[in-house]
Each structure stands twice: as C-alpha cells, then as structure tokens.
Amino acid sequence: MKYRKKAFYTLEATWMFGLALVIFIGVILLTIHLYGETYEDIADRQPEEIHAVPEFRKIQMYRNLIEQKSNGDNVKEE
C-alpha cells in the first residue's frame, strides 16, 4: 500500500514561493526608495568652485618638501 502526501509538498512550495515573492518585492521597493533619496541629495548639492592652479601649486610644494626631506637636504621654509 503506497501512501502519498502530495498536498504537503504543494503547500510548502506555496509558502516558500509567497515568502520569496514578498522578500523580492521588498528589496525592489527599498532599492527604489534608496535611489530616490540619493537623487534628491545630489540635486540639493551645489557644485563647488575649484581653483586648480593654487591647488596644484600647493601639492607641488608639498611634494618638493617631502622629496627634499627624504634626500636629507636642508629645507628653507618660506
């Protein structure tokens, strides 16, 4: 005598499919919400004005100081 439990497998599959669907939809909704928050944050920011020449000169000065210190030369600080 064979005894089959077909209904139990279907019931378990239904619960698992429903749970997976809820998790999937939740992840999609959270992703859309995060995208919206990020978009608003970026839209609110104003671009900063960059002065490239003074920044470049400052970086070059520090590089020269580091190079002179590593070579053991006397550094004349201004």
Side-chain angles (χ1 to χ4, degrees), residues 45-61:
R45 293 183 184 199
Q46 298 295 326
E48 296 180 15
E49 188 173 330
I50 299 173
H51 301 287
V53 174
E55 291 296 321
F56 175 77
R57 288 181 181 158
K58 192 184 305 181
I59 291 169
Q60 193 62 36
M61 181 187 70

Side-chain angles (χ1 to χ4, degrees), residues 2-71:
K2 290 185 177 180
Y3 184 70
R4 293 187 176 178
K5 300 179 183 179
K6 291 183 182 180
F8 291 113
Y9 298 120
T10 305
L11 184 61
E12 289 172 358
T14 303
W15 279 99
M16 292 306 291
F17 181 75
L19 181 63
L21 190 63
V22 167
I23 291 172
F24 183 71
I25 290 172
V27 167
I28 288 176
L29 290 175
L30 286 174
T31 304
I32 291 171
H33 177 71
L34 180 63
Y35 172 77
E37 291 287 325
T38 305
Y39 185 81
E40 288 175 5
D41 187 48
I42 290 174
D44 290 343
R45 293 183 184 199
Q46 298 295 326
E48 296 180 15
E49 188 173 330
I50 299 173
H51 301 287
V53 174
E55 291 296 321
F56 175 77
R57 288 181 181 158
K58 192 184 305 181
I59 291 169
Q60 193 62 36
M61 181 187 70
Y62 289 133
R63 283 183 183 167
N64 290 340
L65 285 173
I66 291 170
E67 184 178 312
Q68 288 174 358
K69 285 285 190 183
S70 65
N71 291 338

